[in-house]
């Protein structure tokens, strides 16, 4: 029976499995190795992944995304309250002070806990894996952000249990990545030699994690870790969104913030624009049809403009990087390499900041998207 590694990201999830001496990433029914971390409810139907993601615009009230921000937390937690400001679906406080996601399902108002929603999503990943491997899947390793508390970790395990999975271990994202790095490196120092120090920076959709690790052959030690729990790609989407919304209000007198569906559409556009700006420094046009009140809109942005809008966010990137260095007072010349993973490390300005803090060219030895899940699968190989 296969043991499977799951990386349930705030936006994107990946599955990997140890097979035939190597690690294989599993593709879903769309032949895509990435499955969006979204669960949607529509009439009697419940969908996950790609199908659910397409409902973020058409059915936003009943489409639950970013549930990872809520798992294992209390409703009154200030971070949860902050999160609620940008949550398109209804969230209520349950009797025991927990979090309830309120959706219309099978013609009833239903309230699901973040654990239940996560379980629904894990069930999808389980089925995807079973179909791909043509075997039953029970044992798994699931990654979590390194800053997750014990309660949050237990909640993830509990979700796995609800999904009929046995979670052998929850592993820090960065530890998984370090494992994936170390396992195939033939040239690591022997245990008697000075270790090789490597920095891993993972900036995903909602947070930023840094870990400095020391490698010897067959040995991995995490020297220090630091994070920003609320700095990720979605924050960049948000500043682009705000600028577009302002532009549409000025030019076309439509307030996309006043209509959930319009807001969701512009958010999707903002993320697309952000990715295009990573690859091009020229101005990228935005054209959207019937955004609101049957009005077509045009706008655009270029990288330098984005960097100015995101200046405050960009300033925060170096804080955890420096904190990880300061904790162990390591000299920069004792760092062998800086490995970047996570979608948001594709932003040129983010790369520049990482480079300038460590005074080093960045390495992409690892698959930026799949490394976490591969590390989880390795744990049980
Ligand atoms: P988290 O680790 O926070 O739970 P995640 O693992 O789901 O989230 P990733 O898949 O690592 O996150 O990264 C997704 C983020 O990366 C999104 O915000 C996405 O827009 C962003 N991203 C992906 N490609 C690019 C790109 N080319 N340029 C800029 N941002 C990008
Ligand atoms: Mg991630």
């Amino acid at each position: 029976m296969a043991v499977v590694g799951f990386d349930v990201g705030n936006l994107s999830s990946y599955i990997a499995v140890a097979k035939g001496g190597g690690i294989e990433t599993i593709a879903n029914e769309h032949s895509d190795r990435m499955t969006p971390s979204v669960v949607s409810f529509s009439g009697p139907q419940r969908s996950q992944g790609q199908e659910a993601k397409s409902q973020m615009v058409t059915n936003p009230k009943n489409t639950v995304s970013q549930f990872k921000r809520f798992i294992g937390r209390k409703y009154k937690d200030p971070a949860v309250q902050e999160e609620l400001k940008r949550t398109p679906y209804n969230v209520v406080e349950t009797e025991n002070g927990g979090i309830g996601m309120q959706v219309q399902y099978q013609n009833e108002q239903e309230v699901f806990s973040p654990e239940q929603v996560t379980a629904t999503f894990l069930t999808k990943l389980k089925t995807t894996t079973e179909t791909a491997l043509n075997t039953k899947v029970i044992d798994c390793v699931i990654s979590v952000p390194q800053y997750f508390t014990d309660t949050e970790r237990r909640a993830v395990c509990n979700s796995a249990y609800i999904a009929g999975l046995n979670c052998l271990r929850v592993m820090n994202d960065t530890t998984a990545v370090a494992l994936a790095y170390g396992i195939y490196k033939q040239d690591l120092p022997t245990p008697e030699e000075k270790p090789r120090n490597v920095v891993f920076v993972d900036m995903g959709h909602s947070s930023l994690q840094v870990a400095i690790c020391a490698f010897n052959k067959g040995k991995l030690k995490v020297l220090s870790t630091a994070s920003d729990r609320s700095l990720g790609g979605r924050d960049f989407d948000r500043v682009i969104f705000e600028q577009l919304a302002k532009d549409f209000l000025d030019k076309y007198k439509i307030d996309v913030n006043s209509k959930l569906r319009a807001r969701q559409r512009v958010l999707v556009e903002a993320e697309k624009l952000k990715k295009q700006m990573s690859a091009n420094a020229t101005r990228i046009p935005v054209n959207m049809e019937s955004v609101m009140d049957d009005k077509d809109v045009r706008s655009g942005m270029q990288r330098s403009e984005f960097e100015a809008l995101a200046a405050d966010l960009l300033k925060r990137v170096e804080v955890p990087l420096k904190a990880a260095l300061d904790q162990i007072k390591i000299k920069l010349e004792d760092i062998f390499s800086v490995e970047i993973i996570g979608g948001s490390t594709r932003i040129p300005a983010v790369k520049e900041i990482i480079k300038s803090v460590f005074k080093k060219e960045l390495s992409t030895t690892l698959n930026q998207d799949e490394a976490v899940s591969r590390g989880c699968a390795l744990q049980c190989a």
Side-chain angles (χ1 to χ4, degrees):
M1 203 166 54
V3 182
V4 182
F6 294 121
D7 165 17
V8 181
N10 196 55
L11 183 77
S12 358
S13 293
Y14 293 85
I15 309 167
V17 62
K19 219 178 147 200
I23 301 289
E24 199 176 292
T25 307
I26 304 283
N28 61 25
E29 70 277 27
H30 302 285
S31 297
D32 199 340
R33 291 142 90 106
M34 187 277 282
T35 299
S37 311
V38 185
V39 176
S40 185
F41 302 85
S42 170
Q45 305 281 349
R46 192 169 61 175
S47 58
Q48 305 93 349
Q50 195 57 52
E51 286 75 20
K53 190 178 179 197
S54 62
Q55 294 194 48
M56 285 179 78
V57 171
T58 53
N59 182 21
K61 282 266 165 231
N62 302 306
T63 302
V64 182
S65 59
Q66 315 218 19
F67 41 84
K68 195 174 159 184
R69 304 293 294 175
F70 294 118
I71 194 157
R73 304 183 102 167
K74 292 287 184 196
Y75 185 83
K76 290 214 164 71
D77 182 331
V80 168
Q81 289 304 311
E82 195 52 39
E83 196 65 31
L84 292 180
K85 292 183 190 155
R86 48 171 145 190
T87 307
Y89 48 89
N90 278 338
V91 175
V92 296
E93 182 169 10
T94 57
E95 265 172 31
N96 55 4
I99 293 167
M101 286 131 161
Q102 194 176 42
V103 292
Q104 192 79 19
Y105 180 46
Q106 296 177 331
N107 296 325
E108 303 273 354
Q109 279 281 7
E110 295 273 3
V111 173
F112 295 106
S113 67
E115 283 85 342
Q116 284 172 312
V117 173
T118 305
T120 302
F121 184 69
L122 282 171
T123 305
K124 164 77 176 179
L125 298 185
K126 177 177 191 276
T127 314
T128 299
T129 318
E130 288 176 338
T131 307
L133 299 178
N134 200 18
T135 173
K136 242 187 134 35
V137 168
I138 293 180
D139 292 331
C140 65
V141 174
I142 304 177
S143 67
V144 295
Q146 59 189 17
Y147 51 77
F148 256 28
T149 60
D150 281 345
T151 318
E152 288 166 316
R153 286 164 200 263
R154 266 199 303 277
V156 170
C157 275
N158 191 29
S159 296
Y161 179 76
I162 301 171
L165 289 161
N166 175 31
C167 182
L168 298 174
R169 192 174 158 192
V170 287
M171 179 150 57
N172 288 346
D173 288 337
T174 43
T175 308
V177 166
L179 269 178
Y181 173 91
I183 201 93
Y184 296 118
K185 288 269 181 255
Q186 298 298 328
D187 56 345
L188 291 176
T190 60
E192 299 75 38
E193 287 173 317
K194 229 174 126 186
R196 174 189 293 187
N197 301 317
V198 180
V199 180
F200 298 96
V201 180
D202 177 356
M203 192 176 199
H205 190 48
S206 63
S207 68
L208 169 60
Q209 307 177 63
V210 192
I212 305 179
C213 301
F215 291 89
N216 292 91
K217 255 193 186 73
K219 197 174 138 211
L220 154 66
K221 188 169 173 224
V222 180
L223 302 176
S224 71
T225 63
S227 320
D228 187 328
R229 273 191 88 130
S230 329
L231 180 63
R234 63 184 194 152
D235 300 291
F236 296 111
D237 299 346
R238 176 66 46 187
V239 293
I240 299 170
F241 168 90
E242 296 296 350
Q243 180 59 31
L244 293 178
K246 190 171 160 290
D247 201 26
F248 297 157
L249 188 62
D250 290 348
K251 286 208 289 237
Y252 305 97
K253 310 286 170 244
I254 53 169
D255 176 11
V256 294
N257 269 309
S258 67
K259 205 157 172 215
L260 191 50
R261 195 173 164 150
R263 199 178 83 183
Q264 293 293 100
R265 266 189 73 191
V266 178
L267 256 178
V268 170
E269 204 60 34
E271 193 203 356
K272 216 165 85 190
L273 181 58
K274 174 186 70 176
K275 290 186 183 173
Q276 287 171 306
M277 286 191 292
S278 292
N280 299 285
T282 51
R283 183 181 157 87
I284 315 283
V286 171
N287 292 303
M288 296 176 75
E289 282 178 27
S290 321
V291 172
M292 232 179 110
D293 306 339
D294 270 339
K295 282 187 183 157
D296 301 344
V297 298
R298 296 164 82 87
S299 186
M301 197 179 285
Q302 69 181 46
R303 192 190 285 166
S304 54
E305 223 178 318
F306 163 65
E307 288 172 357
L309 289 168
D312 288 348
L313 295 173
L314 290 168
K315 243 186 250 145
R316 284 167 56 194
V317 172
E318 64 175 34
V319 178
L321 307 183
K322 287 186 170 161
L325 281 174
D326 286 350
Q327 276 172 41
I328 49 171
K329 309 262 178 277
I330 193 171
K331 289 210 255 357
L332 290 181
E333 58 263 34
D334 287 335
I335 290 172
F336 178 83
S337 67
V338 179
E339 299 284 339
I340 50 167
I341 52 247
S344 299
T345 57
R346 292 194 174 94
I347 298 175
V350 169
K351 281 195 208 166
E352 282 309 315
I353 295 166
I354 304 173
K355 254 197 240 175
S356 75
V357 170
F358 296 107
K359 311 233 174 330
K360 238 182 204 70
E361 286 303 313
L362 307 179
S363 316
T364 45
T365 310
L366 296 155
N367 181 311
Q368 223 165 338
D369 300 307
E370 298 172 11
V372 174
S373 65
R374 296 173 76 86
C376 288
L378 268 172
Q379 174 63 29
C380 31

